[in-house]
Amino acid sequence: MALKRRSRPRLAVWLRIYAVVGIAAALVLLGIGTWLFRWPGFAVSHIDVVGNDVVSSDEIIARARIEPGQNVWLLNLANVQRRIEAVPYVAHASVARRFPSGVTVLITERAPDGCIVAGRTLNFTIDTESRVLALGCSSELPRFDVALSVRPHPGDFVTDVRLRRLQADVHLLADPHRFAYFDFDRFGGFEATLSNGIVVSFGADDRLREKEDLITPILQTQGHPLSDVKELDLRVSAVPVVVYRTLKEIPLRFQDSEGSSHNM
């Protein structure tokens, strides 16, 4: 006898079966997901801040603006990172979830690189990218005489070509702390003022370290008091020139009873 062949379910039947199973599975997953998102165990309970030194952890947490009890799954980490990096001293912030209810913020801070002297009482601390870190300056920082058309605020980047060039030149010096100010002369040459008021004209930006090494030997061989020296011209390092103050510029001196010299 011929065997009867089983009839195969039609394609539409199988599709309906798969559709029902798929919808049921999706509903189950949706329910599980909804339960997980609403589970109190995922509510943010602590934020750990590491890597910060200048900026306080309290300020970073405040800038992050993570609401207490907010679900850790629903945090927009990119937005949290941008808010923290708006803090002037923060160079980079890495934000990560720590399940079930924690957040870790890893901070990389900016380092002060110099001071913009924009007026008698208007100074700004900046970093290597010319970002304003704070109002006011430490006396230990290199000071740049820069005229700013717009007053910056902490967190702003100063886009001034002269300033960026000054910072680059200062980084080429061996001991920038011996100078009080840095500027450019009327010809665009780099110049620096020593703490005793003597202006050192370096000229072009090349061979700055070599020219810097000439300062101390030249000043040590001066027969005049250093207060008489107005400028040290090193634009041509092979032929350095010492410029003295005029009689009107030289401080008046007198002799005391022991014969020593004093300035008035």
Side-chain angles (χ1 to χ4, degrees), residues 47-53 55 57 60-61 64 66 77 80-82 84-85 89-98 103-110:
I47 303 173
D48 298 320
V49 181
V50 294
N52 57 313
D53 183 31
V55 186
S57 298
I60 292 171
I61 292 173
I66 298 176
L77 300 185
V80 174
Q81 176 182 334
R82 281 193 292 270
I84 296 174
E85 289 178 350
Y89 264 95
V90 175
H92 179 71
S94 177
V95 186
R97 299 178 179 89
R98 289 291 179 265
V103 175
T104 298
V105 181
L106 177 60
I107 297 296
T108 302
E109 291 184 328
R110 297 176 180 271

Side-chain angles (χ1 to χ4, degrees), residues 11-29:
L11 178 61
V13 175
W14 282 110
L15 290 178
R16 284 196 294 271
I17 295 173
Y18 287 138
V20 172
V21 173
I23 292 173
L27 291 174
V28 171
L29 292 176

Side-chain angles (χ1 to χ4, degrees), residues 137-156:
C137 291
S138 166
S139 60
E140 299 177 354
L141 292 174
R143 305 172 78 82
F144 309 116
D145 278 329
V146 179
L148 301 177
S149 57
V150 179
R151 176 176 176 172
H153 298 88
D156 292 345

Side-chain angles (χ1 to χ4, degrees), residues 14-15 30 41 98 145 162 218 228 260 264:
W14 282 110
L15 290 178
L30 180 61
R98 289 291 179 265
D145 278 329
R162 287 169 55 89
I218 292 175
D228 292 351
S260 59
M264 294 183 64

